[in-house]
């Protein structure tokens, strides 16, 4: 029997507390051996030192809204939303923000907006997603087509390492400018990385360039390509899903909120010219460029389609957001974008104000709530929801998904970030059908192979988690996978940080699900409460409340 960690925060091993943390937003239900809500950063350090001594695996977790399964596990779940640190400071002159990891994207957005600023990446889970979780998955969102993912907006971060020490990692450019803290801290973890892993990465630069996906977005593996380009160790921490240490604070670059916004809704009769449409629209620097596939439109039903002004002959819809600081420049861009795609579209709806644009986009915002609210016998599962391919191969990818779904008699719903070639695919299996788990597993394998064959990545913005860890060998090859292992060993020599996440454990990806006959048994009231969180997007709720 292990002694409890000497923390001032909450530590529990009872069955109800463990059940409350058995699920996140993805497909899994895995009972942890214990849960801990550290009181502060000193508690985090103490917990890591205790875990190292007793070889206890730690599962760092924020709001639990990540979909890849990186926020659940059989070890000790560390709920970082309970720490007392609530730092949220905006420096409008320098366009910077400093936040503790537990701050939500919504809180940062509201504070920055008071100064006419924003953090441009806007994940759909931003209302409850913590900034620590966003850094851990290199989150993105609809505006990534213009502003990229979280990585380019992180100026510095503070990491608690395997040694139980806090180190501050700053971008080299920021250190040279002399902004903020004077320099980059060092501890034994960073020294170990610089001695052993960094030389191997630099020596393999050609291999990394050759093997990394040539996509606009990629949150798979460790970002060796970004590290080579910048020389900044923090680029390896961003997207590492808590496998290299625990992020406790982040310094952000902010951007000015554009003064004017407009939008387009382009109706396409087929997917044949989808890449042409996206390429044409991309020339006008849209801030968002989204796709709604026919499968999503069918989910809405005839009544909702009619109320939204959508006909039944549309095969796909492309939604466009344009932002400018000058109203005439905005109107000109809107006219030019409309003209550029008019030859491929059956209908083009325009919006010249934020309120009109919101009406056009209402159909896109309905996606997650509609999927979450499906009846119990038709649960939406996020299994192949994060594939990203080169934009010009997007139509081929959608065709491959449709073909595999038809072969296995599985319904799919597709929508996503067309400007990045990034398509979210939700599976909607019939849970009463015998053998549905095997069908899902086969489809997962086939679609993953299609993504890789098309030069894409299975993980665009949600993180590998445990779901896609097993895809890294096929995506990158054994030599790059060995480099990933070298990074992991340098930062986490005892393997206590989120084992089985990013680096494969050999466990089948379609297993330990939250639905189906094999789902782990948990108290009925907690099961219902976790389902309610899923239905309502209530990820801001403290899970320990469910146990009590």
């Amino acid at each position: 029997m292990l002694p409890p960690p000497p923390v001032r925060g909450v530590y529990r091993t009872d069955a109800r507390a463990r059940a409350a943390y058995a699920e996140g937003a993805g497909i899994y239900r895995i009972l942890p051996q214990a849960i801990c809500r550290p009181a502060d950063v000193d508690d985090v350090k103490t917990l890591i030192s205790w875990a190292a001594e007793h070889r206890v695996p730690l599962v760092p977790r924020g709001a639990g809204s990540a979909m890849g399964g990186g926020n659940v596990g059989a070890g000790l779940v560390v709920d970082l939303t309970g720490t007392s640190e609530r730092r949220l400071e905006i420096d409008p002159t320098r366009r910077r923000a400093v936040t503790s990891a537990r701050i939500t994207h919504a809180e940062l957005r509201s504070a920055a907006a008071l100064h006419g600023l924003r953090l441009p990446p806007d994940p759909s889970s931003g209302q409850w997603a913590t900034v620590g979780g966003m850094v851990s998955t290199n989150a993105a969102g609809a505006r990534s087509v213009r502003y990229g993912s979280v990585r380019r907006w992180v100026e510095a971060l503070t990491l608690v390492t395997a040694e139980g020490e806090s180190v501050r990692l700053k971008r080299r450019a920021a250190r040279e400018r002399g902004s903020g803290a004077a320099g980059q801290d060092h501890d034994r973890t960073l020294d170990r990385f610089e001695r052993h892993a960094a030389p191997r990465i630099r020596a393999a630069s050609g291999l990394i360039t050759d093997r990394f996906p040539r996509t606009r977005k990629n949150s798979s593996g460790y970002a060796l390509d970004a590290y080579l380009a910048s020389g900044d160790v923090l680029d390896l921490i961003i997207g590492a899903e808590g496998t290299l240490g625990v992020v406790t604070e982040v310094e952000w670059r902010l951007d000015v909120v554009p003064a004017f916004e407009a939008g387009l809704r382009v109706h396409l009769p087929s997917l044949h010219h989808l890449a042409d449409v996206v390429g044409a629209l991309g020339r006008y620097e849209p801030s968002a460029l989204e796709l709604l596939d026919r499968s999503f439109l069918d989910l809405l039903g005839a009544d909702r389609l009619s109320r939204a002004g959508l006909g039944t002959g549309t095969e796909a819809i492309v939604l466009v957001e344009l932002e400018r600081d000058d109203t005439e420049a905005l109107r000109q861009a809107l006219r030019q974008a409309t003209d550029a795609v008019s030859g491929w579209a059956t209908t083009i709806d325009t919006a010249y104000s934020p309120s009109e644009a919101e009406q056009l986009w209402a159909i896109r915002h309905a996606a997650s709530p509609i999927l979450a609210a499906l009846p119990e016998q038709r649960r939406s599962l996020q299994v192949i929801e994060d594939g990203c391919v080169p934009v010009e191969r997007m139509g081929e990818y959608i065709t491959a998904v449709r073909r595999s779904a038809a072969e296995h008699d599985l319904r799919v719903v597709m929508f996503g970030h067309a400007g990045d070639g990034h398509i979210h695919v939700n599976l909607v299996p019939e849970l009463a059908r015998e053998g549905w788990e095997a069908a899902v597993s086969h489809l997962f394998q086939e679609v993953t192979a299609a993504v890789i064959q098309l030069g894409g990545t299975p993980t665009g913005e949600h993180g590998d988690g445990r779901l896609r860890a097993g895809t890294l060998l096929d995506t990158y090859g054994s030599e790059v996978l060995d480099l990933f292992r070298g990074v992991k060993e340098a930062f986490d020599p005892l393997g206590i940080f989120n084992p089985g996440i990013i680096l494969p454990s050999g466990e089948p990806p379609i297993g330990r699900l939250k639905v189906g006959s094999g789902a782990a048994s948990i108290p009925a009231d907690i099961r219902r409460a976790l389902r309610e969180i899923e239905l309502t997007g209530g990820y801001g709720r403290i899970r320990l409340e469910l146990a009590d």
Side-chain angles (χ1 to χ4, degrees):
M1 187 73 175
L2 282 178
V7 296
R8 287 169 287 108
V10 176
Y11 173 78
R12 288 175 58 169
T13 59
D14 60 284
R16 288 185 62 82
R18 293 164 55 224
Y21 286 86
E23 295 183 12
I27 64 175
Y28 297 108
R29 179 186 295 164
I30 303 174
L31 284 164
Q33 70 182 61
I35 71 100
C36 182
R37 299 191 82 220
D40 51 27
V41 173
D42 286 339
D43 250 10
V44 173
K45 296 177 183 178
T46 298
L47 184 63
I48 289 173
S49 297
W50 172 87
E53 178 183 356
H54 297 286
R55 302 298 193 269
V56 176
L58 300 177
V59 183
R61 172 173 169 142
S65 57
M67 295 181 180
N71 46 26
V72 293
L76 191 159
V77 170
V78 186
D79 180 354
L80 296 166
T81 64
T83 58
S84 59
E85 288 86 2
R86 281 194 54 82
R87 189 177 182 186
L88 174 51
E89 300 172 2
I90 307 295
D91 183 342
T93 302
R94 294 176 54 240
R95 298 182 187 172
R96 296 289 187 273
V98 179
T99 63
S100 50
R102 64 169 292 186
I103 295 297
T104 66
H105 180 270
E107 291 173 317
L108 173 56
R109 181 176 61 230
S110 296
L114 297 175
H115 305 279
L117 300 172
R118 70 180 180 186
L119 177 66
D122 60 334
S124 60
S125 60
Q127 189 62 29
W128 52 78
T130 64
V131 296
M134 289 169 58
V135 168
S136 293
T137 58
N138 188 30
R143 291 199 178 103
S144 58
V145 66
R146 184 171 186 180
Y147 298 104
S149 62
V150 154
R151 174 170 283 110
R152 74 163 70 168
W153 300 93
V154 176
E155 189 83 344
L157 57 80
T158 301
L159 182 78
V160 181
T161 68
E163 314 294 341
E165 301 174 0
S166 284
V167 296
R168 181 171 169 80
L169 305 174
K170 286 182 70 73
R171 294 216 172 272
R172 178 177 299 178
R175 300 199 301 272
E176 292 171 352
R177 288 194 306 270
S179 62
Q184 179 164 300
D185 298 341
H186 278 276
D187 79 336
R188 286 169 289 177
T189 296
L190 294 182
D191 290 340
R192 190 164 52 239
F193 169 76
E194 292 294 344
R195 286 198 312 270
H196 300 296
R200 292 183 60 203
I201 295 170
R202 289 191 286 267
S205 61
L207 172 69
I208 292 166
T209 299
D210 181 60
R211 291 310 307 255
F212 265 62
R214 290 174 173 81
T215 49
R216 290 178 55 90
K217 294 163 72 173
N218 181 29
S219 287
S220 177
Y222 296 118
L224 306 183
D225 54 343
Y227 168 71
L228 283 174
S230 67
D232 295 324
V233 176
L234 65 78
D235 276 324
L236 295 173
I237 306 304
I238 299 167
E241 298 189 75
T243 62
L244 304 181
V246 176
V247 174
T248 58
E249 190 173 273
V250 188
E251 180 180 345
W252 302 93
R253 288 193 305 110
L254 302 176
D255 198 24
V256 175
V257 178
F260 302 101
E261 175 189 325
L264 291 172
R265 188 168 67 190
V266 182
H267 303 234
L268 300 177
S270 75
L271 293 173
H272 185 66
H273 291 290
L274 177 60
D276 297 317
V277 169
V278 171
L281 292 169
R283 291 195 288 272
Y284 301 98
E285 297 186 315
S287 50
L289 186 52
E290 298 286 284
L291 172 72
L292 302 178
D293 177 70
R294 181 74 242 172
S295 59
F296 175 77
L297 300 179
D298 289 340
L299 183 70
L300 294 177
D303 288 345
R304 192 181 271 115
L305 287 174
S306 178
R307 289 196 300 271
L310 301 173
T312 57
T314 301
E315 187 66 18
I317 287 174
V318 175
L319 293 166
V320 187
E321 179 185 80
L322 296 166
E323 297 176 326
R324 298 291 188 273
D325 290 320
D326 176 82
T327 182
E328 183 51 41
L330 180 64
R331 286 182 173 273
Q332 181 179 350
L334 196 63
R335 288 193 299 268
Q336 291 174 334
T338 300
D339 292 342
V341 298
S342 60
W344 295 302
T346 55
T347 306
I348 300 177
D349 302 314
T350 57
Y352 284 91
S353 69
S355 60
E356 291 175 348
E358 179 61 29
Q359 291 180 16
L360 293 188
W361 280 75
I363 186 175
R364 170 65 173 92
H365 299 323
S368 294
I370 291 172
L371 286 166
L374 289 172
E376 290 299 309
Q377 64 270 24
R378 274 284 195 181
R379 289 284 288 273
S380 173
L381 298 181
Q382 298 82 27
V383 175
I384 51 170
E385 91 296 345
D386 209 23
C388 184
V389 299
V391 173
E392 64 274 13
R393 312 298 297 273
M394 190 164 36
E396 296 173 73
Y397 176 60
I398 293 173
T399 299
V401 171
R402 288 179 174 178
R403 181 171 57 246
S404 185
E407 289 175 357
H408 296 289
D409 194 22
L410 289 168
R411 184 177 181 182
V412 296
V413 178
M414 290 186 272
F415 55 94
H417 315 305
D420 294 317
H422 184 202
I423 307 299
H424 295 314
V425 184
N426 285 54
L427 301 186
V428 190
E430 295 180 64
L431 302 188
R433 170 188 158 197
E434 186 176 352
W436 68 266
E437 294 100 330
V440 167
S441 182
H442 288 309
L443 182 140
F444 175 78
Q445 295 170 13
E446 292 168 7
V447 172
T448 297
V451 170
I452 296 169
Q453 192 274 328
L454 291 169
T457 171
T459 307
E461 65 184 5
H462 292 164
D464 292 315
R466 63 184 65 256
L467 175 61
R468 287 176 284 269
T471 70
L472 268 65
L473 177 60
D474 289 335
T475 302
Y476 294 102
S478 59
E479 293 171 291
V480 172
L481 197 59
D482 284 342
L483 294 174
F484 290 160
R485 291 194 181 98
V487 171
K488 173 69 171 174
E489 289 166 4
F491 278 89
D492 184 20
L494 298 178
I496 62 171
F497 289 130
N498 236 357
I501 308 304
I502 296 183
L503 291 177
S505 64
E507 181 181 5
I510 311 302
R512 297 203 281 182
L513 303 179
K514 64 171 64 170
V515 296
S517 59
S521 176
I522 59 176
D525 62 319
I526 293 179
R527 185 181 69 248
R528 288 193 296 267
L530 290 172
R531 177 61 174 149
E532 183 66 17
I533 287 173
E534 192 173 16
L535 285 168
T536 62
Y539 292 98
R541 187 174 182 186
I542 298 171
R543 300 306 191 278
L544 210 52
E545 293 177 351
L546 311 185
D548 296 333

